[in-house]
Amino acid sequence: MKAGTLLLRPGEPDLLRFATAGSVDDGKSTLIGRLLHDANALYEDHIEALKKKASRGAGTMDFALITDGLKAEREQGITIDVAYRYFSAPKRRFIIADTPGHEQYTRNMATGASTADVAVVLVDARLGVLTQSKRHGFIASLLGVPHLVVAVNKMDMVDYEQEVFERIRSEYLEFTARLGLPDVTFIPVSALLGDNVVSRSENMPWYHGVPLLTYLENVSITGDRNLIDLRFPVQRVVRPNQDFRGYSGQIASGVIRPGDEVVAVSSGRRSRVTRIVTYNGDLDYAFAPLSVTLCLADDIDVSRGDMLAHANNVPRVEREIDAMLIWLGDRPLEVGRSYLVKHTTNVVKASCAQIMYRVDPNTLHRGDATQLGMNDIGRVRLTLFRPLHLDQYERNRATGSFVLIDPLTNLTVGAAMVSDRLRAPDAVPAASEQPVSGDLTWHGSRVEAVERARLLHQRPVTVWLTGLSASGKSTIAFELERQLVTTGHACFVLDGDNIRHGLSRDLGFSPQERTENIRRIAEVAHLFNEAGLIVITAFISPYAQDRALARQVIGPERFVETYLAVDVGTCEQRDPKGLYAKARKGKIADFTGISAPYEAPESPALALDTSKRSVDECVREILQVLGDHLDRA
């Protein structure tokens, strides 16, 4: 079943959330009021009230009064709080967040856009692109809003001139080109008179696009949702009687079905889903953002704050994280000060270890900073007092975001998005992770992963080929490399024999030396991934613990474990290097499959039987798994 099909029930229109933003007096509230009025989404008493006020005033209805609900807003003529409105059209249901335009209330724009599928940024045609216009585009990019609409408003006040629209479009496109926004659409409108809001305007025949409502009804958002990575933060354990034990919560991302193997991330214990229970009965499948209760086959230790994930796709578990932060508090963010981090169902004490830089939303330039004031945006490093289960925000908006809370006032003072992976002390088992010297400091790059992805047209990943000697690892690895390079992707093979000519020439094949060899390879693969490259490794890597270590070093989101599942008899028949023959004669000690064990992966991302499939078929299957990394550039 396709992912898009999962999101819709038969006969049910889907839901789209969009936020409006822009500068003061650019007509956000008027646009929303006009949209509701022309779409027949206003009650009769609302319309009558507007008509009465119009008859006492200028004679035209002031649609801004529909959303400017606060007395202070009406008195000042600005939007202060985030005003939400709901309405339905034939194809969709909508939730609108009308966010403030004044710079003082930029933090409220972040609140409204944080859950939006589309951000509508208004630009006054008379004034052109202002700092706030850029600021709101930058915040929409930062929050990962997948679709941006730039509505050039008040076209009636510039005589519907195409030249004005094109000049604004050109200037804003030049700015958004640096943001990496995947979809930017420009629509010329007059919110006051209704041009191109619900119906196409006859005053602008030079515009060949669709009106705003038509765009909102038809923009595709099913592909924006993460249905790949199952993340189920456990909210509470349900035990109404001795015969029932379930784990309740809201699915943050992904799809779950009965029979799926899941792992409790905190303990690493595995089990299988037996039931998906809801108030309306059991489900055959469930997906984000449904709230459900999961029953497991085994009585493993799971409690509030834990997270269930598919066994071969787990989040990062880290105590030190980098994040882009929008500061919302009156008191500035300061290094060394303690805060509370609210992430899914967890609340953890944390401290600010470093402010790496502050971003000027107008120029996108980065500058040094010792603190962040209200509405400032910057990259920070936080140290958590207890590890959290995180994803990179770019991949998962639900588990890649959190808020900071002032422990003294209990006010939310920051909204943060987890940046690309850092080397974290708790991400790898301590015994093999700690450097000999305790006086070392990790220096992070100022180049974002998304910038490298944009440059190389790919997202870095490590294809970890594991299997017995002669199972086909090197053959498949180099053919995969050739096909990737042919299609324009930057990649490199780390081959077992080649590595032992240099990097690991000092190591033998004892279990301890194999572990050290895999650790070194994982570190190299991690660095290559940080540089944006796709890495293909070809190592027997016989021990499950070593591969788990490699997964931690490289990062679970970048680790594609691929098992070449061929039995030792077939490999021994191949024996291209004569190694099995030597091992049988006792000339090679600790030879995997003969005199040393091989622990096959229990849940690899991909298992390929090279005795039944050609090299091209194997490479084709790996490329299909990598499609997400190659297509999302």
Side-chain angles (χ1 to χ4, degrees):
M1 181 176 291
K2 293 183 178 179
T5 308
L6 288 171
L7 292 173
L8 289 178
R9 304 289 186 187
E12 178 186 350
D14 65 336
L15 173 68
L16 183 134
R17 299 170 182 268
F18 71 94
T20 60
S23 300
V24 178
D25 289 334
D26 55 13
K28 297 180 297 300
S29 300
T30 303
L31 177 66
I32 293 174
R34 167 63 70 176
L35 187 63
L36 296 173
H37 177 268
D38 290 5
N40 298 318
L42 289 180
Y43 294 113
E44 287 296 330
D45 56 337
H46 285 166
I47 298 175
E48 289 301 319
L50 291 176
K51 288 180 177 176
K52 287 182 180 178
K53 290 180 179 176
S55 64
R56 296 195 297 265
T60 57
M61 291 190 289
D62 185 358
F63 292 109
L65 297 177
I66 296 173
T67 55
D68 287 348
L70 298 178
K71 182 179 179 181
E73 291 178 340
R74 294 181 179 179
E75 290 175 345
Q76 298 182 46
I78 63 172
T79 302
I80 295 175
D81 202 354
V82 180
Y84 291 94
R85 298 289 302 196
Y86 310 85
F87 78 103
S88 297
K91 294 184 179 179
R92 265 195 174 134
R93 296 173 293 134
F94 298 97
I95 297 178
I96 314 170
D98 180 19
T99 66
H102 198 285
E103 183 176 352
Q104 180 183 354
Y105 304 110
T106 299
R107 55 182 177 176
N108 297 26
M109 185 270 173
T111 302
S114 61
T115 58
D117 302 301
V118 178
V120 180
V121 174
L122 275 82
V123 175
D124 190 325
R126 301 168 303 166
L127 306 178
V129 179
L130 303 178
T131 298
Q132 274 298 78
S133 311
K134 295 181 178 179
R135 182 188 295 269
H136 289 151
F138 175 59
I139 293 175
S141 167
L142 195 66
L143 293 171
V145 180
H147 306 280
L148 178 68
V149 175
V150 181
V152 182
N153 193 22
K154 303 186 182 181
M155 288 297 296
D156 56 303
M157 303 186 75
V158 294
D159 296 328
Y160 301 105
E161 286 288 339
Q162 181 180 3
E163 187 273 335
V164 175
F165 172 75
E166 294 296 342
R167 185 175 66 247
I168 293 173
R169 179 176 179 274
S170 177
E171 183 179 352
Y172 207 81
L173 270 179
E174 183 180 352
F175 172 73
T176 56
R178 292 177 284 167
L179 299 178
L181 285 164
D183 178 28
V184 183
T185 301
F186 292 82
I187 302 177
V189 302
S190 169
L192 184 65
L193 303 179
D195 294 286
N196 285 335
V197 177
V198 171
S199 304
R200 186 185 294 275
S201 171
E202 296 180 355
N203 296 313
M204 291 177 275
W206 45 265
Y207 174 68
H208 302 293
V210 296
L212 178 61
L213 181 61
T214 304
Y215 172 88
L216 296 173
E217 277 195 301
N218 293 281
V219 61
S220 176
I221 59 172
T222 53
D224 304 328
R225 299 173 184 177
N226 187 331
L227 297 176
I228 298 174
D229 308 310
L230 174 67
R231 303 290 185 258
F232 184 75
V234 176
Q235 187 171 3
R236 71 188 185 104
V237 180
V238 180
R239 293 199 66 187
N241 55 57
Q242 294 295 325
D243 300 324
F244 186 94
R245 182 184 181 88
Y247 306 98
S248 296
Q250 184 180 37
I251 302 174
S253 63
V255 181
I256 187 74
R257 298 177 178 80
D260 283 1
E261 186 181 30
V262 295
V263 59
V265 179
S266 295
S267 65
R269 298 289 302 276
R270 299 186 179 194
S271 185
R272 291 193 179 277
V273 177
T274 57
R275 295 176 60 192
I276 302 174
V277 182
T278 71
Y279 178 78
N280 295 317
D282 286 12
L283 300 178
D284 295 330
Y285 60 86
F287 50 86
L290 293 179
S291 295
V292 298
T293 296
L294 300 181
C295 297
L296 304 181
D298 306 286
D299 188 17
I300 63 176
D301 181 19
V302 179
S303 58
R304 176 180 171 82
D306 208 335
M307 182 178 288
L308 297 178
H310 281 141
N312 59 354
N313 181 351
V314 297
R316 297 152 46 176
V317 182
E318 295 187 356
R319 180 170 284 176
E320 187 176 68
I321 53 178
D322 275 10
M324 290 301 295
L325 180 70
I326 302 174
W327 190 247
L328 313 176
D330 295 325
R331 179 176 175 180
L333 170 75
E334 298 173 352
V335 174
R337 191 162 176 233
S338 295
Y339 301 93
L340 296 176
V341 167
K342 174 74 172 66
H343 176 262
T344 62
T345 55
N346 279 297
V347 178
V348 178
K349 189 177 179 182
S351 65
C352 178
Q354 182 183 359
I355 299 174
M356 303 170 75
Y357 56 80
R358 176 169 48 203
V359 180
D360 183 337
N362 190 30
T363 63
L364 301 183
H365 290 163
R366 302 166 182 176
D368 295 334
T370 57
Q371 62 180 25
L372 295 181
M374 181 189 292
N375 296 321
D376 277 349
I377 299 170
R379 179 163 174 160
V380 300
R381 178 169 299 167
L382 301 173
T383 301
L384 308 176
F385 285 56
R386 181 164 55 85
L388 288 176
H389 313 139
L390 302 157
D391 287 291
Q392 188 177 337
Y393 185 80
E394 182 189 359
R395 185 173 183 86
N396 197 320
R397 292 175 74 179
T399 56
S401 61
F402 57 87
V403 297
L404 288 179
I405 300 171
D406 189 320
L408 299 179
T409 63
N410 210 31
L411 295 174
T412 299
V413 291
M417 286 64 67
V418 177
S419 300
D420 53 309
R421 184 176 185 275
L422 272 183
R423 189 182 176 88
D426 283 355
V428 184
S432 58
E433 171 68 6
Q434 299 300 327
V436 175
S437 173
D439 299 321
L440 301 178
T441 300
W442 182 263
H443 298 280
S445 173
R446 289 196 169 191
V447 179
E448 301 279 358
V450 66
E451 296 177 75
R452 298 186 195 276
R454 196 180 308 134
L455 177 68
L456 298 174
H457 304 291
Q458 63 189 28
R459 289 198 305 115
V461 65
T462 294
V463 179
W464 191 275
L465 297 174
T466 177
L468 294 169
S469 177
S471 60
K473 299 182 298 298
S474 296
T475 303
I476 292 174
F478 285 108
E479 176 60 20
L480 176 61
E481 181 191 41
R482 189 191 67 79
Q483 293 196 22
L484 283 169
V485 170
T486 300
T487 54
H489 295 286
C491 63
F492 191 76
V493 172
L494 298 176
D495 180 78
D497 283 5
N498 295 352
I499 291 297
R500 286 184 179 272
H501 278 82
L503 180 65
S504 296
R505 68 174 60 171
D506 57 324
L507 298 178
F509 292 89
S510 69
Q512 295 76 16
E513 289 170 307
R514 285 182 183 276
T515 297
E516 173 58 16
N517 184 47
I518 295 304
R519 188 194 68 80
R520 294 182 187 181
I521 301 310
E523 293 285 354
V524 173
H526 167 67
L527 290 173
F528 280 12
N529 280 167
E530 289 291 286
L533 299 179
I534 295 172
V535 177
I536 308 160
T537 71
F539 297 89
I540 297 174
S541 48
Y543 302 119
Q545 183 176 353
D546 293 350
R547 296 194 297 270
L549 174 66
R551 179 190 296 273
Q552 293 284 357
V553 172
I554 294 168
E557 73 280 5
R558 291 176 174 173
F559 189 84
V560 179
E561 189 176 44
T562 303
Y563 174 38
L564 303 191
V566 188
D567 61 81
V568 66
T570 302
C571 292
E572 191 166 0
Q573 285 181 356
R574 294 173 175 171
D575 202 16
K577 303 174 186 175
L579 298 178
Y580 282 94
K582 289 184 179 178
R584 290 294 184 188
K585 294 178 181 178
K587 295 182 179 179
I588 301 178
D590 299 323
F591 190 82
T592 304
I594 302 298
S595 53
Y598 178 80
E599 299 171 1
E602 293 184 2
S603 302
L606 191 61
L608 300 169
D609 186 346
T610 59
S611 66
K612 299 178 180 177
R613 303 184 190 188
S614 68
V615 173
D616 284 341
E617 289 173 333
C618 293
V619 169
R620 191 157 51 243
E621 289 204 35
I622 296 173
L623 289 173
Q624 288 178 351
V625 172
L626 299 184
D628 188 43
H629 290 267
L630 306 180
D631 292 339
R632 291 187 57 174

